[in-house]
Amino acid sequence: MDIRSSQPGPDRARRAYEEQQRALVNANRAIVRAAREGRLGQAEALREELRDALELSAAAQAAQEPSPAEREAKVRELTEAHRLGQLHTPERLEQAAHRLLGG
């Protein structure tokens, strides 16, 4: 059984890096081409579009959101704290009064 073949390795990372570099080179060429053709506004729009971006996997996106059970537990906890009067701290009351009075 070859464990190494089932795991992502440096080849996969290198391919991803090379693909990203090709995309950047192509985008830069499009920006230069647009600038040469007098479409400077379009070149700027392309440049803004190419800002660094981070793409999250589906698993990472799912991990960011609380599960329904976690959400229900938090609602129960806040409901109980509200019932016991623990949410009305002097600081919160002062902030609320400040907002209400337009300050």
Side-chain angles (χ1 to χ4, degrees):
M1 183 163 122
D2 187 16
I3 295 174
R4 288 177 285 157
S5 64
S6 65
Q7 295 179 350
D11 291 335
R12 179 176 166 195
R14 186 177 61 244
R15 282 193 304 272
Y17 173 78
E18 289 170 353
E19 182 179 314
Q20 182 183 25
Q21 291 303 309
R22 275 193 298 276
L24 288 172
V25 166
N26 291 337
N28 286 335
R29 286 179 181 159
I31 290 170
V32 169
R33 193 176 319 115
R36 282 184 184 156
E37 294 173 0
R39 297 176 289 148
L40 209 47
Q42 188 177 10
E44 288 299 320
L46 279 170
R47 184 172 291 129
E48 285 299 317
E49 190 176 306
L50 296 172
R51 295 269 182 219
D52 288 341
L54 181 64
E55 294 181 20
L56 297 177
S57 67
Q61 290 173 352
Q64 285 185 332
E65 297 178 12
S67 70
E70 291 172 328
R71 200 173 294 131
E72 288 175 21
K74 185 66 173 175
V75 167
R76 280 194 303 275
E77 177 185 322
L78 288 171
T79 303
E80 185 64 21
H82 178 68
R83 190 179 66 73
L84 296 174
Q86 296 172 342
L87 296 180
H88 304 294
T89 64
E91 294 84 14
R92 282 187 163 190
L93 291 174
E94 186 177 325
Q95 288 174 354
H98 190 65
R99 282 193 308 263
L100 287 173
L101 298 175

